[in-house]
């Protein structure tokens, strides 16, 4: 993609997010676009940042470290969206804004421990596998209520909501029930006694289905292909 295509695409994605929010009677400002930069070059990411991308999502720790360093002069927020190995967490806790992909108490504990060493509080989301598909990361919906309660005990890792990644589907409507399920799970977790401030964020929706996710209550959408084109 040329820089001007990236600029155009960002504007288009933002417009579609706003339209979906309005259809659902929501404030478009309540939805954050996370621009997913995995496999993209620093030059491509810079074009996106110049077009107004502020929140950048990366799957791989090493790629995120390298790109964050290369773009150090840019005023951006990094989001960790990929599966995390506990031994790599220390590399990202000094600078990431939000970890979307916490799928065990062990990972949450390591974030807490490392954030304390870095002298900060690090917000994170509990990743839930709402579709029950075997190959996907994330805790089962049935475990999420109890886990969320346990994660509240942390002082430096701060639970702020839920994330999900449904199976690939060409038809965005296929995933609507999964997005709805995540929202309903959030409501159940609040009903179980978890304070609302720990459940404000719902990270759901990618290139093919972000509008449906916004209609179902997403506060963070993670979009790569619609901005940068197909990955190699
Ligand atoms: C790659 C990825 C995305 C973005 O996917 P697109 O279909 O390119 O928008 C979003 N979330 C996660 C966790 C990803 O790995």
């Amino acid at each position: 993609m040329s820089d001007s295509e990236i600029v155009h695409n960002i504007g288009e994605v933002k417009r579609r997010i706003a339209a979906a929010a309005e259809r659902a009677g929501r404030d478009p400002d309540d939805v954050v676009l996370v621009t997913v930069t995995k496999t993209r070059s620093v030059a491509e990411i810079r074009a996106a940042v110049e077009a107004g991308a502020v929140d950048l999502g990366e799957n791989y720790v090493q790629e995120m470290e390298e790109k964050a360093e290369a773009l150090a002069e840019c005023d951006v927020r990094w989001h960790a969206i990929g599966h995390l190995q506990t031994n790599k967490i220390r590399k990202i806790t000094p600078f990431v804004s939000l970890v979307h992909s916490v799928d065990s108490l062990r990972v949450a504990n390591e974030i807490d421990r490392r954030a304390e060493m870095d002298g900060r509080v690090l917000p994170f989301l509990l990743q839930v596998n709402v579709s029950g598909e075997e190959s996907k990361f994330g805790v089962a919906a049935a475990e999420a209520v109890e886990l969320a309660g346990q994660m509240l005990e942390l002082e430096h890792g701060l639970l702020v909501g839920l994330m999900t990644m449904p199976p690939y589907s060409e038809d965005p409507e296929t995933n609507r029930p999964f997005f709805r399920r995540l929202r309903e799970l959030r409501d159940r977790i609040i009903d179980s006694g978890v304070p609302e401030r720990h459940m404000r964020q719902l990270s759901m929706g990618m290139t093919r289905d972000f509008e449906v996710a916004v209609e179902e209550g997403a506060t963070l959408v993670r979009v790569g292909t619609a901005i940068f084109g197909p990955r190699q």
Side-chain angles (χ1 to χ4, degrees), residues 34 36-38 40 58-60 81-83 100-101 127 163-165 168 203 205-210 221-227 229-231:
V34 178
V36 175
T37 60
K38 67 169 176 252
R40 313 301 180 175
E58 262 292 340
N59 294 61
Y60 310 111
I81 63 173
H83 182 68
H100 291 230
S101 42
Q127 182 173 357
M163 179 271 218
T164 198
M165 190 168 162
Y168 176 87
S203 170
M206 304 169 34
T207 287
R208 273 175 317 277
D209 52 21
F210 68 86
V221 293
R222 311 177 308 268
V223 179
T225 305
I227 293 167
R231 279 179 292 275

Side-chain angles (χ1 to χ4, degrees), residues 2-218:
S2 69
D3 286 7
S4 68
E5 283 171 303
I6 292 171
V7 171
H8 169 83
N9 290 346
I10 291 215
E12 197 55 20
V13 169
K14 285 189 172 166
R15 186 192 60 71
R16 287 167 60 192
I17 290 171
E22 272 155 23
R23 279 198 296 281
R26 302 184 57 206
D27 183 346
D29 290 341
D30 290 343
V31 186
V32 170
L33 168 60
V34 178
T35 299
V36 175
T37 60
K38 67 169 176 252
T39 77
R40 313 301 180 175
S41 69
V42 168
E44 287 173 295
I45 301 167
R46 202 182 291 277
V49 170
E50 280 164 12
V54 179
D55 291 271
L56 306 180
E58 262 292 340
N59 294 61
Y60 310 111
V61 166
Q62 177 149 2
E63 259 190 82
M64 178 152 43
E65 270 187 295
E66 287 167 8
K67 290 168 181 174
E69 203 176 307
L71 296 162
E73 84 286 1
C74 299
D75 198 8
V76 297
R77 291 187 284 262
W78 286 97
H79 295 242
I81 63 173
H83 182 68
L84 287 166
Q85 291 169 282
T86 40
N87 63 345
K88 299 229 174 104
I89 288 171
R90 68 189 159 80
K91 298 191 184 237
I92 57 167
T93 53
F95 70 92
V96 292
S97 292
L98 178 65
V99 180
H100 291 230
S101 42
V102 173
D103 60 0
S104 69
L105 201 51
R106 196 162 148 251
V107 167
N109 285 336
E110 180 63 5
I111 286 174
D112 185 60
R113 197 170 77 86
R114 290 295 171 177
E116 178 169 19
M117 291 168 79
D118 298 333
R120 65 172 298 196
V121 170
L122 176 46
F124 70 88
L125 308 176
L126 174 58
Q127 182 173 357
V128 185
N129 178 351
V130 282
S131 66
E133 191 199 31
E134 269 185 29
S135 62
K136 289 280 188 250
F137 293 112
V139 305
E143 295 168 44
V145 178
E146 193 185 344
L147 268 174
Q150 292 169 332
M151 287 172 176
L152 292 188
E153 314 273 310
L154 304 176
E155 288 181 9
H156 297 270
L158 180 67
L159 176 67
V160 295
L162 304 176
M163 179 271 218
T164 198
M165 190 168 162
Y168 176 87
S169 168
E170 284 294 333
D171 177 6
E173 287 300 328
T174 312
N175 287 337
R176 186 183 295 277
F178 300 134
F179 297 145
R180 191 169 293 165
R181 225 176 269 174
L182 195 72
R183 189 189 68 215
E184 289 168 354
L185 178 63
R186 189 259 323 264
D187 295 344
R188 276 212 302 289
I189 290 174
I190 292 170
D191 287 346
S192 81
V194 169
E196 218 172 321
R197 68 175 187 281
H198 289 286
M199 279 291 128
R200 289 236 160 87
Q201 307 298 334
L202 290 178
S203 170
M204 55 190 196
M206 304 169 34
T207 287
R208 273 175 317 277
D209 52 21
F210 68 86
E211 288 155 302
V212 169
V214 168
E215 286 169 12
E216 294 299 331

